[in-house]
Amino acid sequence: MGRITGLEEIGHVPPKVRQMYGAVIELLEEGMDMEDIRVSTITERAGIGKGTAYEYFDTKDEIVACAVVSQIRWMFGWLGEQLEAKADFGEQLSFLLDVVEKKGHCSHSFLRFVHAMTSNSEFNRMIREKMNAEEFAAYRPANVFGRILRQGVERGAIRRDLPIEYMIHCVFSHLLSYMMEIATKDCFRMDAQSLRPFVYRGIMGELVAVHG
Amino acid sequence: MGRITGLEEIGHVPPKVRQMYGAVIELLEEGMDMEDIRVSTITERAGIGKGTAYEYFDTKDEIVACAVVSQIRWMFGWLGEQLEAKADFGEQLSFLLDVVEKKGHCSHSFLRFVHAMTSNSEFNRMIREKMNAEEFAAYRPANVFGRILRQGVERGAIRRDLPIEYMIHCVFSHLLSYMMEIATKDCFRMDAQSLRPFVYRGIMGELVAVHG
Amino acid sequence: MGRITGLEEIGHVPPKVRQMYGAVIELLEEGMDMEDIRVSTITERAGIGKGTAYEYFDTKDEIVACAVVSQIRWMFGWLGEQLEAKADFGEQLSFLLDVVEKKGHCSHSFLRFVHAMTSNSEFNRMIREKMNAEEFAAYRPANVFGRILRQGVERGAIRRDLPIEYMIHCVFSHLLSYMMEIATKDCFRMDAQSLRPFVYRGIMGELVAVHG
Amino acid sequence: MGRITGLEEIGHVPPKVRQMYGAVIELLEEGMDMEDIRVSTITERAGIGKGTAYEYFDTKDEIVACAVVSQIRWMFGWLGEQLEAKADFGEQLSFLLDVVEKKGHCSHSFLRFVHAMTSNSEFNRMIREKMNAEEFAAYRPANVFGRILRQGVERGAIRRDLPIEYMIHCVFSHLLSYMMEIATKDCFRMDAQSLRPFVYRGIMGELVAVHG
DNA sequence: GATGAATGAGGGTTCATTCAT
DNA sequence: AATGAATGAACCCTCATTCAT
């Protein structure tokens, strides 16, 4: 028991665990806070017995942390696939802004990642630890963004003179703030719609290679 | 009871409340998570009776939220004062990066603000509400950064063609990511030391007016 | 807080703790087993809130263990006093047999001591540990019986050629078996009434000094 | 289901039940307390499925009680056989003291019998009930000791003027206390080695016939 | 007969809140 | 105003038992 780590391939996640993950994510999307999620709420939603939760996980915190990590992993996996299918960096960036604008649950996953990296709660400590595992590496934002940036550099679309790490920082930071602006009108007091082109141009202006 | 809002001028905060704020902030700086702070821990640290807490606040959440808001307010107030005393935008930006690098507790306050804006927990909902009050307006990051940016524009040091809100976004986003990089080595896998000049140049490159 | 050890002077035991001890002993006398006693049962009987139990004790096991130790201590304390007030060894032995025969709760305490010494349950481990404390020394059966035996030796009523420890063993073992015979008709298949004079004569025959 | 009583002839005990008994006894010998033994622990040790336990027993308590009764029965059976093979009472008593001194698991069984007779726990009530069954009669200590005492009387080695029941009490009580002294150094504060000859002489002195 | 995944009743413990002093 | 002993609702987790395979 307690063998589930949250880092399993989706295909290897037992059905009851999948139902539990679904319940946790649903609750989080509905605005419930991680700390307020009860085991009984999860299992009721998942349609399973309370004791069953403990056949797969050791503690309540593990259940929630695994659900969150699994979701973050899934989201960044999907994002990476989508991005890598795009033809050029402009399209990729555009897609990223679209996702932030239109896929609330993706932004939530992204923000959950940010919280995990910057908070001391037991949950986030746990999530961080799981995300440090080798199995998670490919799904880390730094790697997902890193891949398209390297691709851009290879294609000659992106400047060669900036370290890849700084370029990741650039994309990451603009996305995050853009997300915050959308999530709360109170942040920079600017309409998200009007902000978007500036963000796009800001990133492009800094990263894109000047030809000629 | 429950007359304290967390938005009082420091001078008007009763001594016992001040002691409670101090205890909460201390606990947070020690790495304790908001949700794990107990009323008894606060009052013990503050050196007052447990019942006394309820002479000033209605619930535990109010105590913590008020302490956090008060701290965020104090931090951004101090930051604003320091920034406004600087002669030019370069110095101001440099000072900001210094603060992020060296004043851990300032970054903590900054991150607490970010968490408050992007989380659904009861605490953060509460904190957000307080920060929406008129009394807090001057201390909002958007306003603190807005003031120095407007100042820069007036002095002719900063471009006039970008909306102030986007420029705030710029400064905010770079600072936040820089903070994250410092807080966790695992974020962009780049040494904070090496990142700093790029961040500085990135912001300057985008915002600073080109003369001639 | 958990400051109660079960070894306090009766006068220093807080009233609520006294009520809890009373409830535990009552339940044990009614035939309930230590392991089956619930915190809620104790506190309901004691007429106090469930949470109050944890103001004085750290765990349920501590509550029960302290109650038992306190009771054993009290019983052997009382027994010692009574015995020391008797004029000679014959009277003392007679009194002991009376107690076994007529004071069921005294036998229970005695048996609880025996169980504590010969069982591995968490409770008994705990009880044993408490009884090893210096504060308990005077109440240990070995000392209670030891005192009257030494007294008997001094008075010339008891043989000098047997080690005191063996004489304690003698008294202890006969009492214990006599108790068992009374507690269960199934043990030696002899009527307790008829057994008594033999036990009395057996002990006297072995320990009493033969004059001149 | 539930046909096992714990009183079966060893030869008639199904193999899986035998494995379960072995597991229970092992756990008890390792110092685990009866109440703390879990069904899953038993079946894991026994190398069988958890559900299988319920093919033979109705409840967990039955499993443990049957194992214990079976073990007590086996031990006293073995003890009886050994004793009856000895030539005289002195040898028999010596053998008994040897067993107490050197065969920890025999003492454990003996003490488990004593606990069963003097405790109200559900387990012990159950064990007592089983030991009251006709099939168990021959293995009761009263009968095992009774047989050698009667033999001694017949051989003229033991006094005729004491009732057999009191003589059983004598042997039983000395053995029990001797066992306690060995189990815990804290009981009479006398070294077991030094106690032994006194115990031997005590019993002999009281029971052995004076010739002449 | 044998299994072990699933269950859910039940109990220990925590801690925000109250209120008599 | 200040206190802290007392409270009990709420929640996590265990584990005996069941039952479909």
Side-chain angles (χ1 to χ4, degrees):
Chain A
M1 302 145 202
R3 266 159 294 101
I4 301 290
T5 64
L7 298 165
E8 290 76 12
E9 292 288 333
I10 306 283
H12 295 169
V13 178
K16 310 242 165 193
V17 171
R18 206 132 53 184
Q19 287 159 251
M20 291 171 73
Y21 283 179
V24 171
I25 299 305
E26 240 180 72
L27 288 164
L28 291 174
E29 297 299 336
E30 285 169 19
M32 176 163 275
D33 189 61
M34 275 190 207
E35 327 267 344
D36 294 338
I37 294 182
R38 311 284 157 232
V39 173
S40 55
T41 318
I42 297 172
T43 52
E44 270 159 35
R45 284 246 184 167
I48 62 175
K50 191 141 63 115
T52 308
Y54 292 89
E55 290 290 320
Y56 297 102
F57 298 97
D58 284 334
T59 64
K60 186 201 73 162
D61 289 14
E62 274 285 331
I63 305 172
V64 178
C66 286
V68 168
V69 167
S70 165
Q71 169 72 2
I72 291 177
R73 178 192 145 131
W74 182 88
M75 198 277 287
F76 279 113
W78 172 83
L79 198 64
E81 278 175 28
Q82 298 295 310
L83 289 172
E84 276 157 55
K86 306 291 166 203
D88 67 51
F89 185 68
E91 252 184 80
Q92 287 168 328
L93 185 54
S94 208
F95 176 75
L96 277 173
L97 296 175
D98 273 0
V99 165
V100 170
E101 239 178 289
K102 293 166 194 157
K103 308 241 180 204
H105 64 277
C106 286
S107 293
H108 282 149
S109 284
F110 199 105
L111 287 174
R112 248 169 251 137
F113 170 82
V114 172
H115 285 167
M117 302 309 281
T118 57
S119 144
N120 284 305
S121 89
E122 196 42 40
F123 278 120
N124 286 318
R125 231 189 297 276
M126 227 173 217
I127 293 171
R128 218 153 51 222
E129 203 170 300
K130 286 173 186 300
M131 294 196 306
N132 276 333
E134 194 45 48
E135 296 97 311
F136 193 82
Y139 305 97
R140 267 176 223 139
N143 288 328
V144 173
F145 297 154
R147 283 199 299 276
I148 60 167
L149 287 164
R150 260 184 224 98
Q151 199 182 49
V153 170
E154 279 158 26
R155 285 173 180 163
I158 288 183
R159 296 166 62 170
R160 315 192 94 87
D161 58 332
L162 290 173
I164 191 85
E165 290 84 1
Y166 172 68
M167 296 194 293
I168 293 168
H169 159 100
C170 252
V171 173
F172 187 92
S173 67
H174 276 286
L175 274 186
L176 179 51
S177 288
Y178 184 46
M179 214 171 274
M180 281 185 66
E181 185 55 25
I182 287 173
T184 133
K185 297 267 108 16
D186 303 321
C187 203
F188 314 120
R189 311 276 172 184
M190 190 182 192
D191 174 43
Q193 273 304 79
S194 343
L195 191 59
R196 178 172 172 153
F198 289 100
V199 173
Y200 184 88
R201 264 178 279 152
I203 298 175
M204 292 300 270
E206 191 157 6
L207 302 189
V208 165
V210 187
H211 296 284
Chain B
M1 302 178 199
R3 268 157 293 98
I4 300 291
T5 64
L7 297 165
E8 291 76 11
E9 292 288 332
I10 305 282
H12 295 168
V13 177
K16 308 233 170 197
V17 171
R18 215 150 29 201
Q19 286 159 254
M20 292 171 72
Y21 284 178
V24 171
I25 298 306
E26 241 179 71
L27 289 164
L28 292 174
E29 297 300 334
E30 284 168 18
M32 175 163 276
D33 188 61
M34 275 190 206
E35 326 269 343
D36 294 340
I37 295 180
R38 312 280 160 241
V39 173
S40 57
T41 318
I42 297 172
T43 52
E44 270 161 33
R45 285 248 184 164
I48 62 175
K50 186 139 67 123
T52 309
Y54 290 88
E55 292 292 322
Y56 297 102
F57 299 97
D58 283 335
T59 66
K60 185 200 79 160
D61 289 12
E62 274 285 332
I63 304 173
V64 178
C66 286
V68 168
V69 167
S70 163
Q71 169 72 2
I72 291 178
R73 177 192 145 132
W74 180 89
M75 197 277 285
F76 280 114
W78 172 83
L79 198 64
E81 277 173 29
Q82 298 293 310
L83 288 172
E84 277 157 54
K86 307 291 167 202
D88 67 52
F89 184 67
E91 253 184 80
Q92 288 168 327
L93 185 54
S94 208
F95 176 75
L96 277 172
L97 295 175
D98 273 359
V99 165
V100 169
E101 241 179 286
K102 292 163 195 159
K103 308 241 179 207
H105 63 278
C106 287
S107 293
H108 282 149
S109 286
F110 198 105
L111 287 173
R112 246 169 254 136
F113 169 82
V114 172
H115 284 167
M117 302 311 281
T118 57
S119 145
N120 285 303
S121 89
E122 198 41 43
F123 277 123
N124 286 319
R125 235 190 294 276
M126 224 174 222
I127 292 171
R128 216 150 55 221
E129 202 170 301
K130 287 174 187 299
M131 294 196 306
N132 276 334
E134 195 45 47
E135 296 97 307
F136 193 81
Y139 305 97
R140 269 177 221 137
N143 289 327
V144 172
F145 296 154
R147 282 199 300 277
I148 59 167
L149 287 163
R150 259 182 227 101
Q151 199 183 48
V153 171
E154 279 159 27
R155 285 173 180 164
I158 288 182
R159 293 165 65 169
R160 315 193 92 88
D161 59 331
L162 289 174
I164 192 84
E165 289 83 2
Y166 172 66
M167 295 196 293
I168 293 168
H169 159 100
C170 249
V171 172
F172 187 92
S173 68
H174 276 285
L175 275 186
L176 179 51
S177 289
Y178 184 46
M179 214 171 273
M180 282 185 66
E181 186 54 26
I182 288 172
T184 134
K185 294 268 113 5
D186 302 322
C187 203
F188 314 119
R189 312 271 172 188
M190 189 182 191
D191 175 42
Q193 275 302 81
S194 340
L195 192 59
R196 178 174 173 152
F198 289 99
V199 173
Y200 183 89
R201 263 178 280 152
I203 298 175
M204 292 300 271
E206 191 160 6
L207 302 189
V208 165
V210 186
H211 296 285
Chain C
M1 302 153 199
R3 263 159 297 97
I4 300 290
T5 63
L7 298 165
E8 290 76 11
E9 293 287 332
I10 306 283
H12 295 168
V13 178
K16 311 241 163 194
V17 171
R18 218 157 15 207
Q19 287 160 250
M20 292 171 74
Y21 283 178
V24 171
I25 298 307
E26 241 179 72
L27 289 163
L28 292 174
E29 297 299 335
E30 285 169 20
M32 175 163 276
D33 188 61
M34 275 191 207
E35 327 267 345
D36 294 339
I37 294 181
R38 311 282 158 235
V39 174
S40 54
T41 318
I42 298 172
T43 53
E44 270 159 34
R45 284 246 184 168
I48 63 176
K50 188 142 68 118
T52 308
Y54 291 89
E55 291 289 320
Y56 297 102
F57 299 96
D58 284 335
T59 64
K60 186 200 75 161
D61 290 11
E62 275 284 331
I63 304 173
V64 179
C66 287
V68 168
V69 167
S70 165
Q71 170 72 2
I72 291 177
R73 177 192 145 132
W74 182 87
M75 197 276 286
F76 280 112
W78 172 84
L79 198 64
E81 278 174 28
Q82 299 294 311
L83 289 171
E84 277 157 55
K86 307 291 167 205
D88 67 53
F89 184 67
E91 253 184 81
Q92 287 169 328
L93 185 53
S94 207
F95 176 76
L96 276 173
L97 295 176
D98 274 358
V99 164
V100 170
E101 238 178 290
K102 292 165 194 157
K103 308 241 180 204
H105 63 278
C106 286
S107 293
H108 283 148
S109 285
F110 198 105
L111 287 173
R112 246 170 252 136
F113 170 82
V114 172
H115 285 168
M117 301 311 280
T118 56
S119 145
N120 284 306
S121 89
E122 197 41 42
F123 278 120
N124 286 320
R125 233 190 294 277
M126 225 173 219
I127 293 171
R128 218 152 51 222
E129 202 170 301
K130 287 173 187 300
M131 294 195 308
N132 276 333
E134 194 45 50
E135 296 97 309
F136 193 82
Y139 305 98
R140 268 177 222 139
N143 288 328
V144 172
F145 296 155
R147 283 200 298 276
I148 59 168
L149 287 164
R150 260 183 225 98
Q151 200 181 49
V153 170
E154 280 159 25
R155 285 175 180 161
I158 288 182
R159 295 165 63 170
R160 314 193 95 87
D161 59 332
L162 289 174
I164 192 84
E165 290 84 2
Y166 171 67
M167 296 195 293
I168 294 168
H169 158 100
C170 251
V171 173
F172 187 92
S173 67
H174 276 285
L175 274 187
L176 179 51
S177 289
Y178 185 46
M179 215 172 274
M180 280 185 67
E181 185 55 26
I182 288 172
T184 131
K185 298 266 107 21
D186 304 321
C187 203
F188 314 119
R189 313 272 171 186
M190 190 182 191
D191 173 42
Q193 274 303 81
S194 342
L195 191 59
R196 179 174 172 153
F198 290 99
V199 173
Y200 184 88
R201 265 179 279 152
I203 298 176
M204 292 299 270
E206 191 159 7
L207 302 189
V208 165
V210 186
H211 296 284
Chain D
M1 298 177 199
R3 267 158 294 99
I4 301 290
T5 64
L7 297 164
E8 290 75 11
E9 291 289 331
I10 304 284
H12 295 168
V13 177
K16 309 233 170 197
V17 171
R18 216 151 26 200
Q19 287 159 252
M20 291 171 73
Y21 284 179
V24 171
I25 299 306
E26 241 180 71
L27 289 164
L28 291 175
E29 297 300 334
E30 285 168 19
M32 176 163 276
D33 189 61
M34 275 191 205
E35 327 269 344
D36 293 340
I37 294 181
R38 312 279 160 242
V39 173
S40 56
T41 318
I42 297 172
T43 52
E44 271 160 35
R45 284 250 184 164
I48 62 175
K50 185 139 67 124
T52 308
Y54 291 88
E55 292 292 325
Y56 298 102
F57 299 97
D58 284 334
T59 65
K60 185 199 77 160
D61 289 12
E62 275 285 333
I63 305 172
V64 179
C66 287
V68 168
V69 167
S70 162
Q71 169 72 2
I72 290 177
R73 176 193 144 129
W74 181 89
M75 198 278 286
F76 280 113
W78 172 85
L79 198 63
E81 278 173 29
Q82 298 295 311
L83 288 172
E84 277 157 53
K86 305 291 167 204
D88 67 51
F89 184 67
E91 252 184 82
Q92 288 168 327
L93 184 54
S94 208
F95 176 74
L96 277 172
L97 295 175
D98 273 359
V99 165
V100 170
E101 239 179 289
K102 292 164 192 157
K103 309 240 180 209
H105 63 278
C106 287
S107 293
H108 283 149
S109 285
F110 198 105
L111 287 174
R112 247 169 252 138
F113 170 81
V114 172
H115 285 168
M117 301 311 280
T118 56
S119 144
N120 285 302
S121 90
E122 198 42 42
F123 277 122
N124 287 319
R125 234 189 295 275
M126 224 172 221
I127 292 171
R128 217 153 51 221
E129 202 169 303
K130 287 174 187 300
M131 293 195 307
N132 276 333
E134 194 45 47
E135 296 97 309
F136 194 82
Y139 305 97
R140 267 177 223 139
N143 289 328
V144 173
F145 296 154
R147 281 199 300 277
I148 59 166
L149 287 163
R150 258 183 227 99
Q151 199 182 48
V153 170
E154 281 157 25
R155 286 174 181 162
I158 288 183
R159 295 164 65 168
R160 314 192 95 88
D161 59 331
L162 290 174
I164 194 83
E165 290 83 2
Y166 171 68
M167 295 195 293
I168 294 168
H169 158 100
C170 249
V171 173
F172 187 92
S173 68
H174 276 284
L175 275 187
L176 179 50
S177 287
Y178 184 46
M179 213 173 274
M180 281 185 67
E181 185 54 25
I182 287 173
T184 134
K185 296 266 111 10
D186 302 321
C187 204
F188 314 120
R189 312 271 173 189
M190 190 181 191
D191 174 43
Q193 276 301 80
S194 342
L195 192 58
R196 179 174 171 150
F198 289 99
V199 173
Y200 183 89
R201 265 178 278 151
I203 298 174
M204 292 300 270
E206 191 158 8
L207 302 190
V208 165
V210 186
H211 297 283

